[in-house]
Amino acid sequence: MKMSKRSKIVIYALLGLVALYFLAPFIYMLFSAFKTESEAIAYPPKLFPTEWHFENFINAWKSQPFGTYLWNSILVTVFTTLGQVLSCSLVAYGFARFEFKGKNLLFMILLSTMMIPWDVTMIPQYMEFNLFGWINTLKPLIVPAWFGSAYYVFLMRQFLMGIPRDFEEAARIDGANQFQIYWKIFMPIMKPSLILVGVLNMLTVWNDYLGPLIFLQDRSKYTLALGLASFKGVHSTQIIPMLCITIIMIIPPIIIFIIAQKYIVEGTSGSIK
């Protein structure tokens, strides 16, 4: 049933209002970053600054070694995303394309680990990494990602379950071994699912605050999220620098999401073209 032109206008107008409602705090934050401290906390609030202070971003960036924080965040995000994509795709491939005794039981045990909150395993993990001598390094933030995530394995397995068996049977006829089938046949097919997992993991790791707070002690190892929190003191908070760095922090995820949104939809729906 086709919608009339008037119905489409009404729907798009309502969607625009809803989008504006959710974007309003970010818009206010963006304009407030160019204000003075007193103007940002003034009541009633004003959307536009009386005078634009573009130097706020430069001053906020130079107030602490945010270049080091940015590099640490990039390292952690890139290596954890790479680890999650490779490990989860391999495990998901095994669960989706192999038949072996106890497969369903193992998969149920894997999914049950999602019910265990990270807060419960936080102390045992700290004790383990302390035994390894990894505290105050980036290893506790990177290495666990190379052992996969139950949620990402579930997403990829569901995607792989929708792929016909004809692909691997044709590859076997051509003489491909099991790893070649996984790497050369299924990895390209799984591109939407891989990108979806990569984006989800990037957003999680890029904004992670608790993990770096627990495992990192030296400021030279801080990530952006941890460095941002240093603007908040016991008695006062530096509002303008915090707004500036927050805006800088949200730019990479927005860019990645815009670039990858097509594949995110395909990865979520499990469609194969």
Side-chain angles (χ1 to χ4, degrees):
M1 182 179 179
K2 283 189 175 183
M3 290 190 300
S4 64
K5 187 175 181 181
R6 182 177 297 178
S7 299
K8 288 183 179 180
I9 292 174
V10 172
I11 291 173
Y12 286 136
L14 290 174
L15 290 175
L17 289 174
V18 172
L20 183 62
Y21 173 78
F22 285 103
L23 287 174
F26 297 97
I27 296 173
Y28 183 76
M29 178 183 69
L30 176 63
F31 288 117
S32 295
F34 297 97
K35 299 176 182 178
T36 61
E37 190 89 17
S38 58
E39 193 176 7
I41 62 176
Y43 188 84
K46 293 191 302 181
L47 178 60
F48 298 103
T50 305
E51 185 177 349
W52 295 79
H53 295 274
F54 294 95
E55 70 277 5
N56 288 347
F57 286 86
I58 299 174
N59 295 336
W61 189 261
K62 290 183 176 180
S63 63
Q64 295 190 43
F66 277 103
T68 302
Y69 301 164
L70 175 62
W71 175 246
N72 292 336
S73 291
I74 292 174
L75 281 178
V76 173
T77 303
V78 169
F79 283 108
T80 54
T81 301
L82 183 63
Q84 292 284 13
V85 166
L86 291 176
S87 60
C88 293
S89 63
L90 191 59
V91 175
Y93 175 72
F95 276 116
R97 315 305 290 189
F98 286 88
E99 294 297 333
F100 53 90
K101 188 176 181 180
K103 183 180 79 169
N104 294 333
L105 177 62
L106 286 175
F107 190 66
M108 287 176 61
I109 294 173
L110 175 69
L111 293 183
S112 67
T113 61
M114 291 193 296
M115 303 178 188
I116 305 173
W118 189 77
D119 310 66
V120 175
T121 61
M122 180 173 56
I123 295 177
Q125 278 190 4
Y126 183 90
M127 295 172 64
E128 179 183 3
F129 294 140
N130 187 46
L131 185 65
F132 293 161
W134 289 0
I135 299 300
N136 200 31
T137 69
L138 299 179
K139 292 177 183 177
L141 305 177
I142 297 174
V143 174
W146 289 82
F147 293 89
S149 166
Y151 178 61
Y152 297 150
V153 170
F154 172 75
L155 286 179
M156 291 188 179
R157 176 188 175 273
Q158 296 306 109
F159 187 89
L160 284 168
M161 293 289 285
I163 300 176
R165 293 279 180 179
D166 300 345
F167 288 91
E168 52 198 302
E169 290 173 1
R172 284 197 186 95
I173 293 173
D174 290 338
N177 58 40
Q178 201 64 56
F179 183 78
Q180 288 174 328
I181 294 173
Y182 156 74
W183 187 255
K184 294 184 178 181
I185 304 298
F186 283 94
M187 286 295 275
I189 294 175
M190 291 170 63
K191 184 178 178 181
S193 182
L194 296 174
I195 293 177
L196 172 62
V197 168
V199 171
L200 291 176
N201 182 77
M202 177 203 161
L203 293 176
T204 302
V205 175
W206 185 262
N207 297 310
D208 184 25
Y209 170 73
L210 188 57
L213 178 65
I214 293 171
F215 299 121
L216 303 179
Q217 300 167 357
D218 190 356
R219 282 186 173 270
S220 63
K221 303 292 193 304
Y222 278 13
T223 59
L224 276 176
L226 203 55
L228 177 64
S230 59
F231 285 124
K232 186 176 181 180
V234 178
H235 303 291
S236 63
T237 300
Q238 301 179 57
I239 297 176
I240 299 302
M242 182 176 287
L243 292 177
C244 294
I245 299 302
T246 300
I247 291 171
I248 294 174
M249 273 193 67
I250 65 177
I251 290 175
I254 290 175
I255 294 175
I256 294 296
F257 182 81
I258 291 174
I259 294 174
Q261 60 179 332
K262 172 187 173 183
Y263 299 103
I264 291 173
V265 174
E266 291 181 12
T268 305
S269 62
S271 59
I272 302 173
K273 294 183 178 180

